[in-house]
């Protein structure tokens, strides 16, 4: 019986769990931290059962003090839109990054940052994280400036969707082959023998969009296809529709319309239909990304399957490896893309 003034129960400790499971505290620590080496399946089951029965919760603060880690990774997305998380590519990337970090006992601190305001962000000023991820926008010089600012903090850095900067210290670049994917789309569109094409793109300078435009432009230039660019606010269906409509009013109907993403392509199809035009009989239309909602398009889009979720997972794996080994074993991850043939070309 507990003495007066004493608590009737105490918080379970790692020593108590070890005693109940009949193992060492080191073994309990391995199980808690997801380490596979040196722990049999039967031992793991005993330890996990003891943890559940005793209601043991690891002391993360104490562990972080010992390892000098914060248990968190920061992600700064430089985007002028307050609705930056509404973009399907961004949400899939963040999901992949967050889920894989969580499996390895790290949290994710997410920051939407206006262009030109990165230095003021609390992630940069306080920086209580173990590594920083950066999704930059702006022209190439502005993006490199952002990378150098973050790299100057002396922490591991992962940059999304941009070309590597060779002299950037302790940095890793994770991107998909947007150039190759868009070139594949352009080659598919050449089956229509187009003479004039329009590409509807965001009015924000993202490195991925630069690469998509470059891939289409190079293929079309080699085959004497004129390419017109139509910038718009990709976060607004009304803005996409207005920009496409305005272009058609000024220039007439092109042979093909290339959507920088599937949302744009679907909006373009609606505009064409409102004018009594058929897709693909009158105008071919292509998209990019092949996220699940793409299946709602009529006709089904010819598009490219993006790797946004895989980009996030790859970045998380690279960060964890870097924190364990002290270096990035690979500093440039380029993920290949797959053409998805629909009925819109």
């Amino acid at each position: 019986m507990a003495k007066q003034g004493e608590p009737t129960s105490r918080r379970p400790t790692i020593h108590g769990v070890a005693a109940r499971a009949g193992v060492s505290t080191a073994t309990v620590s391995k199980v808690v931290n997801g380490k596979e080496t040196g722990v049999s399946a039967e031992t793991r089951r005993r330890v996990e059962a003891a943890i559940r029965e005793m209601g043991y919760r690891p002391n993360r603060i104490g562990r972080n003090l010992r390892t000098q880690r914060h248990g968190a990774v920061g992600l700064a997305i430089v985007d002028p839109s307050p609705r930056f998380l509404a973009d399907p590519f961004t949400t899939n990337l963040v999901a992949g990054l967050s889920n894989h970090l969580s499996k390895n006992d790290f949290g994710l601190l997410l920051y939407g940052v206006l262009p030109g305001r990165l230095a003021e962000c609390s992630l940069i000023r306080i920086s209580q994280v173990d590594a920083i991820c950066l999704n930059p926008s702006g022209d190439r010089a502005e993006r490199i400036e952002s990378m150098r600012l973050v790299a100057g903090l002396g922490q591991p850095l992962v940059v999304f969707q941009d070309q590597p900067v060779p002299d950037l210290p302790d940095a890793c670049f994770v991107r998909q082959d947007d150039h190759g994917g868009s070139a594949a789309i352009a080659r598919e569109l050449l089956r229509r023998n187009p003479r004039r094409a329009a590409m509807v793109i965001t009015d924000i300078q993202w490195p991925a969009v630069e690469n998509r435009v470059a891939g289409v432009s190079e293929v079309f230039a080699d085959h004497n296809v004129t390419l017109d660019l139509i910038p718009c606010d990709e976060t607004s269906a009304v803005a996409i529709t207005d920009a496409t409509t305005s272009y058609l009013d000024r220039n007439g109907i092109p042979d093909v319309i290339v959507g920088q993403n599937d949302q744009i392509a679907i909006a373009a199809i609606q505009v064409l239909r409102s004018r009594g035009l058929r897709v693909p009989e009158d105008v071919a239309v292509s998209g990019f990304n092949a996220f699940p909602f793409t299946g709602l398009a009529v006709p089904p889009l010819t598009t490219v399957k993006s790797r946004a979720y895989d980009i996030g997972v790859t970045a998380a794996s690279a960060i964890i490896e870097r924190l364990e080994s002290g270096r990035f074993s690979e500093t440039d991850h380029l993920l290949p893309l797959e053409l998805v043939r629909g009925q819109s070309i």
Side-chain angles (χ1 to χ4, degrees), residues 26-27 30-31 34-40 44:
T27 298
K30 286 183 178 181
V31 173
K35 305 294 185 183
E36 301 288 342
T37 306
V39 182
S40 69
R44 183 176 299 278

Tab-separated table of all heavy atoms in Angstrom, residues 26-27 30-31 34-40 44:
chain	number	residue	atom	x	y	z
A	26	ALA	N	18.868	-1.875	-23.822
A	26	ALA	CA	19.340	-1.591	-25.188
A	26	ALA	C	18.405	-2.220	-26.220
A	26	ALA	O	18.114	-1.626	-27.269
A	26	ALA	CB	20.761	-2.099	-25.380
A	27	THR	N	17.912	-3.428	-25.912
A	27	THR	CA	16.985	-4.102	-26.826
A	27	THR	C	15.663	-3.347	-26.891
A	27	THR	O	15.088	-3.169	-27.974
A	27	THR	CB	16.749	-5.553	-26.384
A	27	THR	OG1	17.990	-6.255	-26.442
A	27	THR	CG2	15.744	-6.248	-27.285
A	30	LYS	N	16.109	-0.400	-29.097
A	30	LYS	CA	16.097	-0.739	-30.521
A	30	LYS	C	14.676	-0.898	-31.047
A	30	LYS	O	14.338	-0.428	-32.126
A	30	LYS	CB	16.892	-2.032	-30.757
A	30	LYS	CG	18.398	-1.874	-30.659
A	30	LYS	CD	19.092	-3.193	-30.978
A	30	LYS	CE	20.613	-3.043	-30.927
A	30	LYS	NZ	21.294	-4.316	-31.253
A	31	VAL	N	13.842	-1.585	-30.262
A	31	VAL	CA	12.453	-1.802	-30.687
A	31	VAL	C	11.708	-0.475	-30.770
A	31	VAL	O	11.004	-0.198	-31.744
A	31	VAL	CB	11.732	-2.768	-29.720
A	31	VAL	CG1	10.237	-2.844	-30.060
A	31	VAL	CG2	12.361	-4.149	-29.780
A	34	GLY	N	12.663	1.476	-33.826
A	34	GLY	CA	12.479	0.843	-35.125
A	34	GLY	C	13.725	0.211	-35.705
A	34	GLY	O	13.798	0.008	-36.918
A	35	LYS	N	14.707	-0.106	-34.870
A	35	LYS	CA	15.932	-0.730	-35.378
A	35	LYS	C	15.708	-2.232	-35.564
A	35	LYS	O	15.170	-2.906	-34.688
A	35	LYS	CB	17.102	-0.508	-34.403
A	35	LYS	CG	17.366	0.959	-34.064
A	35	LYS	CD	17.842	1.728	-35.266
A	35	LYS	CE	18.215	3.156	-34.898
A	35	LYS	NZ	18.617	3.951	-36.062
A	36	GLU	N	16.093	-2.759	-36.712
A	36	GLU	CA	15.862	-4.165	-37.028
A	36	GLU	C	17.033	-5.057	-36.620
A	36	GLU	O	16.851	-6.224	-36.294
A	36	GLU	CB	15.615	-4.317	-38.540
A	36	GLU	CG	14.429	-3.514	-39.064
A	36	GLU	CD	13.111	-4.107	-38.629
A	36	GLU	OE1	13.086	-5.284	-38.239
A	36	GLU	OE2	12.093	-3.380	-38.681
A	37	THR	N	18.243	-4.503	-36.642
A	37	THR	CA	19.445	-5.308	-36.430
A	37	THR	C	19.524	-5.834	-34.998
A	37	THR	O	19.362	-5.087	-34.028
A	37	THR	CB	20.704	-4.470	-36.714
A	37	THR	OG1	20.602	-3.922	-38.020
A	37	THR	CG2	21.953	-5.319	-36.617
A	38	GLY	N	19.782	-7.137	-34.865
A	38	GLY	CA	20.050	-7.712	-33.552
A	38	GLY	C	18.824	-7.986	-32.704
A	38	GLY	O	18.971	-8.304	-31.509
A	39	VAL	N	17.633	-7.905	-33.268
A	39	VAL	CA	16.414	-8.177	-32.502
A	39	VAL	C	15.575	-9.182	-33.279
A	39	VAL	O	15.130	-8.902	-34.397
A	39	VAL	CB	15.588	-6.893	-32.260
A	39	VAL	CG1	14.356	-7.210	-31.423
A	39	VAL	CG2	16.438	-5.830	-31.572
A	40	SER	N	15.352	-10.372	-32.677
A	40	SER	CA	14.554	-11.392	-33.356
A	40	SER	C	13.077	-11.010	-33.349
A	40	SER	O	12.639	-10.157	-32.555
A	40	SER	CB	14.725	-12.746	-32.666
A	40	SER	OG	14.118	-12.717	-31.377
A	44	ARG	N	11.056	-9.043	-30.381
A	44	ARG	CA	10.325	-7.811	-30.693
A	44	ARG	C	8.872	-7.905	-30.215
A	44	ARG	O	8.332	-6.953	-29.651
A	44	ARG	CB	10.388	-7.539	-32.198
A	44	ARG	CG	9.716	-6.231	-32.631
A	44	ARG	CD	9.915	-6.000	-34.119
A	44	ARG	NE	11.334	-5.896	-34.432
A	44	ARG	CZ	12.045	-4.798	-34.275
A	44	ARG	NH1	11.469	-3.692	-33.826
A	44	ARG	NH2	13.329	-4.780	-34.564
